[in-house]
Amino acid sequence: MKNDIILSGVGGQGILSIAAAIGLAAVANDLFLKQSEVHGMSQRGGDVQSHLRLSDKPVHSDLIPYGKADLIISVEPMESLRYLPWLSKDGWLVTNSAPFINIPEYPPVEEILKEIRKIKNHIIIDADVIARESGSIRSGNMVILGAASPFINMSFASLEDAIRKLFGRKGEEVVEANLKALKAGRELSGK
Amino acid sequence: MKRLLLLGDEAIAQAALDAGMSGMYAYPGTPSTEIMEYVQSSAEAGQRNVHRKWSSNEKTAMEAALGMSYAGKRAMVAMKHVGLNVAADAFINSAMTGVNGGLIVVSADDPSMHSSQNEQDSRFYAKFAMVPCFEPSNQQEAYEMVFDAFEASEKYRLPVLIRITTRLAHSRASVSLKEALPERERSIPSDPLQFVLLPAIARKKYKALLTSYESLKYDLRISKYNTFKDGIKRDLGIIACGIAYNYLMENIGDSQVDFPVLKIAAYPFPKDLIKDITERCNEILILEEGAPLVEEALRGILDNGIKIFGRLDETVPRDGELNPAIVAKAIGLPVSFGSEVPALVKMRPPSFCKGCGHADMFDSLIEAIKEYGPGRVFSDIGCYTLGALPPYSAINSCVDMGASVTMAIGAADAGLFPAVAVIGDSTFTHSGLTGLLDAVVKNSSVTIIISDNSTTGMTGGQESQATGRIEQICKGIGVSAEHLKVIVPLRKNHEENIRIMKEEFEYRGVSVIIASRECIQTASAKRKSAASGN
């Protein structure tokens, strides 16, 4: 088993929490794991990506080779397209549709979505809306993780456990909000 | 056996704690920062009272670590590659004095310059200083090497360099921990002159260093990390150093290694193994992350021996970091590729945070200096270097820590008027103080703007040695009170700040303007932590 995942978004959007949740679940499942963080020089506002590699055998490269990613999980639509050279031909792209616009020449969202729809396997979700509906506007990242969860080779329950561990210190309320967001995302991609 | 999910940086920090380190010294710098941060947040380090405060710069960190080693304890100092330039004087001479307690210097290189000014390869420094160098290929190896590095350091009484690169520093994997060792007892060196590099003593010590460097390669603590695996395809032998080995294995896999492969992860060069693989194979490919250190040595000046492929003949690109595709191409394997990035995807360059004080400072500076023409602002290394990019395009240099002040002095000496320096508070205490003293002593015609956000912002908001002290420091160095101005870079003060800047540009002597407003990231983090009652 091998699961190569690229996480993408903009600095401050919570992709490192997604990485941490998958990482914790992988450790609990006794999988080999490498998770490489790539961020530019600024703390906020620049593009951010993380390469996550899960396998039942030792993982060599910290970076996923081009054309080998099984899944792109993106919390921002334009950012999801930046990593297409890594996506394998049967890979899935799961992305938020809500744009993070902090550059003047940001393209029209409709055109971005049109490009995403050209990918054979894609799921587009307005995570910000779903997060609001599930009562926690800040857990859009967990909605996206939930939507991507069918394509991650680990049980949904192990992701739930990871979220309990990850947010446990912040109190039961935060844990519940994130679990709810995760489930909402999962249900959407199940449809 | 306890296992933890750790970044390469964190694996090194955890190992140092487990190996009985008593003191950690560092100045923040990507990609090395998380080493110190891990030790700072470690509960165990707290209980043991392991020293773990930031230093003003890499040189002071290196020297303090050497002092702890002098006192018989194990110490580690960490920095980014260019930080080793700052610490070089102390580092090179620490090989001459030798150590007492084990001393490890970690230098984190940044090939491809993700957040650096160059991509220098720290392995050259180890060779230059004639000390052992470890170059881990993965997190587990990094963890284990720290134990061997401390032991080798104490056995040969030499500092040991651990060289990592961005990918390992910032990649997480599961690491199995070893049994923890106690800290060492305090002891002063048995030879009272060991650390006294008077010429007569230094000459003897240098001869001893030359001898010990030769014997290092036979030490098992070093040599065990260099491994040779024979293969059936003898036409090509591959030498892969450090993390390059991972990219090679990613391509050729564990089970079906056809080529003879020599993995080098510790230096001095494993001469016997290199001789062995070159005798077996008609041609050699060398894969190194960083500069062609092994390749140059193997080619020699005349380059008339065996056929060698590597960075120097561009089988591998001469610059930039490696990846699985580059290595695949180098060994003649096909490279798969997903689909092209659609043309509508735009770059998202880093930018100032909304509400950043540096941005307001630049808004005023641009207005104030407009009438004098372009090309008069020297700057430095920090978030404010973003002032070079549009829409600001406000600075004309970013060279090394502190160079804004001293380049402005030189330009003023050449008659450039006004000569303005823009430097952050942490960079100012790192390497700006001595430049300011030069300016005061010569009464240079410079205006130095210290953009003070009370933190080391670009590396994530570590404490800045200057916080609350800048005014006093400037006064102490001799800046006159009339030309030491403190402004608050806020929109509402824009006109007033322009007026103050213009006034100080016109003064033909040393002016310092402290533009002081807390970094909005650290301010908001403080608010959040106060709100949650932590």
Side-chain angles (χ1 to χ4, degrees):
Chain A
M1 189 286 279
K2 154 200 105 94
N3 222 188
D4 284 338
I5 305 166
I6 287 185
L7 305 174
S8 66
V10 177
Q13 280 194 304
I15 77 159
L16 296 181
S17 299
I18 300 181
I22 300 176
L24 284 170
V27 170
N29 280 295
D30 262 334
L31 292 172
F32 290 96
L33 163 82
K34 276 196 176 172
Q35 185 235 321
S36 170
E37 287 167 18
V38 183
H39 26 164
M41 62 186 272
S42 88
Q43 298 245 338
R44 305 261 147 173
D47 52 271
V48 189
Q49 56 161 320
S50 171
H51 287 206
L52 243 164
R53 314 194 71 192
L54 318 175
S55 175
D56 50 9
K57 291 193 218 41
V59 178
H60 292 295
S61 169
D62 299 85
L63 296 174
I64 298 169
Y66 293 123
K68 295 284 168 68
D70 305 295
L71 176 61
I72 291 175
I73 304 178
S74 186
V75 285
E76 208 283 340
M78 183 177 82
E79 292 308 319
S80 77
L81 295 168
R82 201 183 294 281
Y83 305 100
L84 290 185
W86 278 269
L87 190 64
S88 78
K89 28 181 221 317
D90 299 318
W92 280 83
L93 187 154
V94 179
T95 184
N96 190 1
S97 62
F100 186 99
I101 302 173
N102 64 344
I103 49 170
E105 66 275 28
Y106 194 94
V109 180
E110 252 325 299
E111 284 179 32
I112 292 174
L113 297 181
K114 214 187 285 173
E115 288 292 340
I116 296 171
R117 289 191 194 104
K118 287 184 193 165
I119 310 297
K120 190 172 78 177
N121 302 317
H122 66 267
I123 291 177
I124 303 171
I125 277 177
D126 191 332
D128 297 11
V129 168
I130 309 295
R132 209 173 299 131
E133 282 171 10
S134 68
S136 167
I137 183 137
R138 287 178 55 203
S139 35
N141 55 346
M142 291 300 137
V143 174
I144 295 293
L145 175 59
S149 62
F151 315 109
I152 300 173
N153 288 343
M154 288 188 292
S155 71
F156 189 71
S158 63
L159 285 176
E160 289 179 313
D161 287 343
I163 282 171
R164 281 190 198 99
K165 242 185 250 166
L166 187 63
F167 295 105
R169 267 198 296 186
K170 295 189 174 173
E172 197 47 35
E173 219 172 296
V174 177
V175 170
E176 281 311 315
N178 279 286
L179 284 175
K180 215 171 147 195
L182 184 81
K183 269 183 210 138
R186 171 80 173 200
E187 277 163 24
L188 274 174
S189 73
K191 276 176 197 165
Chain B
M1 194 163 43
K2 197 175 168 193
R3 287 169 66 195
L4 292 175
L5 195 56
L6 299 174
L7 292 176
D9 275 350
E10 295 170 342
I12 288 171
Q14 179 66 48
L17 287 171
D18 291 346
M21 172 182 73
S22 301
M24 176 80 219
Y25 297 85
Y27 180 81
T30 311
S32 70
T33 310
E34 290 85 351
I35 302 174
M36 174 62 106
E37 288 187 328
Y38 186 87
V39 176
Q40 287 180 338
S41 64
S42 154
E44 195 206 330
Q47 281 156 14
R48 266 165 47 186
N49 204 18
V50 172
H51 176 276
R52 52 196 200 288
K53 285 214 164 39
W54 294 108
S55 300
S56 287
N57 64 38
E58 295 84 357
K59 179 174 182 281
T60 65
M62 175 75 217
E63 290 156 349
L66 187 62
M68 180 161 278
S69 159
Y70 174 96
K73 305 244 180 184
R74 287 186 167 182
M76 183 183 267
V77 50
M79 59 200 73
K80 68 182 293 170
H81 59 340
V82 287
L84 190 48
N85 298 335
V86 178
D89 199 0
F91 173 69
I92 304 286
N93 286 331
S94 70
M96 292 285 286
T97 62
V99 307
N100 185 17
L103 175 59
I104 295 177
V105 181
V106 184
S107 182
D109 294 357
D110 188 21
S112 280
M113 298 172 264
H114 297 280
S115 36
S116 302
Q117 301 79 43
N118 73 31
E119 58 173 42
Q120 67 186 55
D121 185 327
S122 297
R123 295 176 301 165
F124 283 89
Y125 263 115
K127 192 163 179 277
F128 189 33
M130 288 188 285
V131 301
C133 175
F134 290 90
E135 189 192 6
S137 64
N138 61 49
Q139 295 77 357
Q140 183 70 43
E141 202 170 54
Y143 178 86
E144 284 165 21
M145 280 176 170
V146 169
F147 286 77
D148 287 305
F150 272 129
E151 275 190 30
S153 173
E154 281 155 10
K155 177 169 179 210
Y156 294 95
R157 305 191 78 73
L158 284 174
V160 174
L161 186 79
I162 295 182
R163 184 253 187 172
I164 54 172
T165 56
T166 306
R167 286 308 152 190
L168 180 59
H170 284 172
S171 174
R172 240 178 223 100
S174 176
V175 174
S176 303
L177 306 191
K178 294 165 70 140
E179 204 171 311
L181 304 173
E183 289 184 37
R184 285 167 56 100
E185 294 297 321
R186 192 171 63 233
S187 71
I188 55 168
S190 53
D191 172 6
L193 293 176
Q194 184 194 333
F195 285 79
V196 185
L197 293 180
L198 274 167
I201 300 168
R203 282 192 282 270
K204 277 187 212 138
K205 296 197 74 84
Y206 187 49
K207 279 188 198 301
L209 177 62
L210 292 170
T211 313
S212 78
Y213 189 64
E214 280 311 304
S215 57
L216 289 173
K217 56 176 164 282
Y218 302 110
D219 191 289
L220 190 65
R221 297 172 195 86
I222 294 165
S223 64
K224 72 177 175 195
Y225 291 106
N226 300 322
T227 52
F228 177 69
K229 207 167 171 189
D230 208 353
I232 40 169
K233 284 191 181 166
R234 294 285 177 83
D235 44 334
L236 182 70
I238 303 174
I239 298 176
C241 304
I243 204 162
Y245 181 77
N246 298 353
Y247 300 132
L248 176 66
M249 285 298 126
E250 181 73 25
N251 279 293
I252 65 178
D254 291 306
S255 49
Q256 44 187 24
V257 180
D258 293 336
F259 308 103
V261 173
L262 170 58
K263 176 188 178 187
I264 298 181
Y267 306 79
F269 299 132
K271 193 172 159 188
D272 295 346
L273 294 177
I274 293 173
K275 190 158 173 272
D276 199 27
I277 191 170
T278 51
E279 280 173 0
R280 258 167 229 256
C281 304
N282 303 327
E283 297 177 335
I284 298 288
L285 169 67
I286 302 176
L287 302 169
E288 301 178 79
E289 183 79 306
L293 172 80
V294 174
E295 187 182 346
E296 276 181 348
L298 203 52
R299 284 182 192 273
I301 291 172
L302 300 178
D303 199 4
N304 57 3
I306 57 165
K307 181 78 190 149
I308 293 169
F309 303 100
R311 285 194 188 262
L312 292 173
D313 70 339
E314 306 255 351
T315 300
V316 177
R318 182 64 182 80
D319 63 326
E321 68 174 335
L322 301 174
N323 62 38
I326 287 173
V327 171
K329 265 185 226 154
I331 55 179
L333 294 175
V335 176
S336 67
F337 202 72
S339 50
E340 292 291 333
V341 179
L344 62 76
V345 175
K346 295 290 181 295
M347 296 282 285
R348 208 189 285 261
S351 56
F352 287 120
C353 304
K354 228 181 206 172
C356 173
H358 293 316
D360 286 319
M361 177 275 297
F362 276 125
D363 283 339
S364 303
L365 174 58
I366 289 164
E367 281 298 312
I369 204 155
K370 204 165 53 181
E371 64 190 79
Y372 299 97
R376 287 166 164 75
V377 181
F378 301 90
S379 193
D380 232 295
I381 294 163
C383 287
Y384 48 92
T385 316
L386 292 170
L389 306 177
Y392 300 94
S393 306
I395 62 169
N396 309 106
S397 78
C398 158
V399 182
D400 67 87
M401 298 287 279
S404 58
V405 176
T406 30
M407 282 183 72
I409 293 172
D413 290 345
L416 189 70
F417 172 81
V420 179
V422 173
I423 186 169
D425 51 313
S426 184
T427 308
F428 178 65
T429 41
H430 179 290
S431 290
L433 301 176
T434 45
L436 180 58
L437 181 59
D438 282 352
V440 166
V441 169
K442 301 200 291 184
N443 197 29
S444 301
S445 182
V446 293
T447 302
I448 296 162
I449 298 173
I450 303 175
S451 198
D452 170 23
N453 60 1
S454 302
T455 190
T456 314
M458 196 171 61
T459 46
Q462 294 76 21
E463 58 202 58
S464 162
Q465 310 287 58
T467 302
R469 296 190 175 90
I470 298 185
E471 245 187 292
Q472 266 180 301
I473 290 172
C474 293
K475 276 185 196 152
I477 286 177
V479 177
S480 76
E482 306 93 274
H483 297 287
L484 177 58
K485 301 281 166 68
V486 180
I487 63 172
V488 180
L490 276 171
R491 196 70 225 159
K492 64 174 185 186
N493 300 335
H494 183 56
E495 297 304 325
E496 172 71 357
N497 292 345
I498 293 173
R499 189 187 61 74
I500 292 171
M501 286 179 187
K502 278 186 173 171
E503 218 170 83
E504 295 308 325
F505 295 162
E506 283 300 322
Y507 172 62
R508 303 283 176 146
V510 181
S511 298
V512 173
I513 299 171
I514 305 170
S516 186
R517 183 148 71 77
E518 190 178 9
C519 165
I520 62 151
Q521 294 296 346
T522 53
S524 101
K526 272 187 209 160
R527 269 200 310 276
K528 272 184 204 156
S529 129
S532 67
N534 289 329

